[in-house]
Amino acid sequence: MQFGAQGDSPSDSSRLVDNPGTWLDVTDMVFIDPVGTGFSRSLVDKDKTKKRFYSIKPDIEYLSRIVYDWLLKNGRMASPKYVAGESYGGYRVPRITYFLQTQLGVGVNGMVMVSPYLEPPMDQAPNFSPMTWVTTLPSMAAANYERQGKPLSPAQMKDVEDYARGEFVSDLMKGRRDPEAVNRLVGKVTGYTGLDPAFVKRSGGRIDIRAFLRELYRDTGKIGSVYDSNVTQDDPFPWSPDGQRGDPILDAIIAPTTSAMVDFDTRVVGWKVEGRFNALSYDVGENWEKGVELTEATTDLRQAIAADPKMKVLIAHGYDDLSCPYFVSRLVIDQMPVSGDPGRVKLSIYPGGHMFYSRAASQAAFRADVLQVFGVK
């Protein structure tokens, strides 16, 4: 079904169609709905549920055990195994892989991380650390290039990436006590983002994501999506100083994707389940353990790769995604030691946003990259 594009609506048809980007012609696929999502539910009380499932460490442990138990029950321990996940699922992938390797004795042949949230630089002291601004600027520039009709490619993005990790960092660290550094920032950031120079100057070249999504379309009364800033909707509160709104993509896809999945499970498959399907669970988010940082994913990634010199890794992103900016993964990989074949850890970036695969060309390119991980030509 179509989703994630400009003009999509919650009332759009939820009719499922064949997926040209499927992996099913080369591999079996087993999907896991963590407790509280999809039709998955906890059978213990609220307090025990939070302790057993709604925290980072137990989440990794029970999901890894599900993988182990499925392999054992279905006689697939000796089969090639690949762990894939998207967004927060992308954070889970290296942690589950390393836990399987070292705690449960299950070797993993490859990892596929789709728009993963590997590190939390955007949450770490934005008034002090430059990483918030460094990691998001390339995606803002990519969105600007796309609005101008420029094709997105590594060559197109090289200039802003080099600037982001070089002169941009240096001038950010000099701060407002260096007027020349501030002026350089404002000029460069204005050019890369296409924003109003006055707004960039007021921001000191430090562009907050939520402000970016609003200021980009302020004159037209629209807002952009954090998942792809070039997908917009009318701002329901255009005069509010706080920017009260949902997300254009998220608000549009929950209804059709939920309806499609429930219809498929109950009518096509014939599984007559009671209870709601949670495509996105706010209840899980509210009950998740507070104050725990999303760390150790890159630590486990390094250790899992070092432990298995044959394992392949694909990290895939959309250029326009501001929820999980691709430049975070670029910096993570660049800081990693080379272990074995340098090409076995690959970062692929495609036109589009968080769900870049909703674009036909990006989906096809992504499938080709995944097949390389699987060793299929």
Side-chain angles (χ1 to χ4, degrees), residues 91 94 118-119 295-303 332 336:
Y91 166 85
L118 288 179
E119 284 289 333
T295 58
E296 299 184 25
T298 54
T299 299
D300 285 356
L301 176 64
R302 287 190 180 203
Q303 294 185 117
V332 164
M336 290 171 53

Side-chain angles (χ1 to χ4, degrees), residues 116-226:
Y117 189 69
L118 288 179
E119 284 289 333
M122 291 183 289
D123 300 331
Q124 296 179 347
N127 293 321
F128 175 73
S129 170
M131 293 307 296
T132 297
W133 324 116
V134 169
T135 55
T136 54
L137 181 63
S139 289
M140 293 179 182
N144 183 34
Y145 295 153
E146 189 172 75
R147 290 192 302 275
Q148 297 177 37
K150 297 179 179 178
L152 296 178
S153 66
Q156 175 67 52
M157 298 303 299
K158 185 179 186 306
D159 181 68
V160 64
E161 290 183 11
D162 289 347
Y163 171 70
R165 69 167 97 217
E167 184 183 351
F168 190 41
V169 176
S170 176
D171 281 345
L172 284 168
M173 294 301 290
K174 290 176 181 177
R176 66 185 305 163
R177 293 176 183 270
D178 186 332
E180 292 184 359
V182 173
N183 289 336
R184 285 194 298 269
L185 279 175
V186 170
K188 284 282 192 177
V189 172
T190 298
Y192 283 129
T193 63
L195 290 168
D196 177 10
F199 168 73
V200 177
K201 185 174 182 179
R202 288 196 303 272
S203 304
R206 296 156 172 81
I207 309 301
D208 175 80
I209 291 174
R210 290 177 62 85
F212 172 77
L213 297 174
R214 201 173 193 212
E215 291 298 324
L216 202 57
Y217 305 101
R218 181 176 285 277
D219 291 345
T220 61
K222 295 183 179 296
I223 52 172
S225 170
V226 71

Side-chain angles (χ1 to χ4, degrees), residues 62-89:
Y62 89 79
L63 290 174
S64 300
R65 183 57 190 269
I66 289 173
V67 174
Y68 178 92
D69 289 349
W70 188 94
L71 293 169
L72 180 63
K73 181 179 179 180
N74 291 277
R76 301 300 295 269
M77 280 292 186
S79 299
K81 293 167 284 291
Y82 299 84
V83 180
E86 178 176 351
S87 198
Y88 185 76

Side-chain angles (χ1 to χ4, degrees), residues 317-333:
H317 283 275
Y319 280 111
D320 296 350
D321 185 9
L322 283 169
S323 64
C324 296
Y326 81 86
F327 204 53
V328 173
S329 293
R330 172 83 78 200
L331 296 176
V332 164
I333 292 175

Side-chain angles (χ1 to χ4, degrees), residues 55-66:
S55 185
I56 294 175
K57 187 172 184 290
D59 174 78
I60 298 302
E61 292 175 352
Y62 89 79
L63 290 174
S64 300
R65 183 57 190 269
I66 289 173

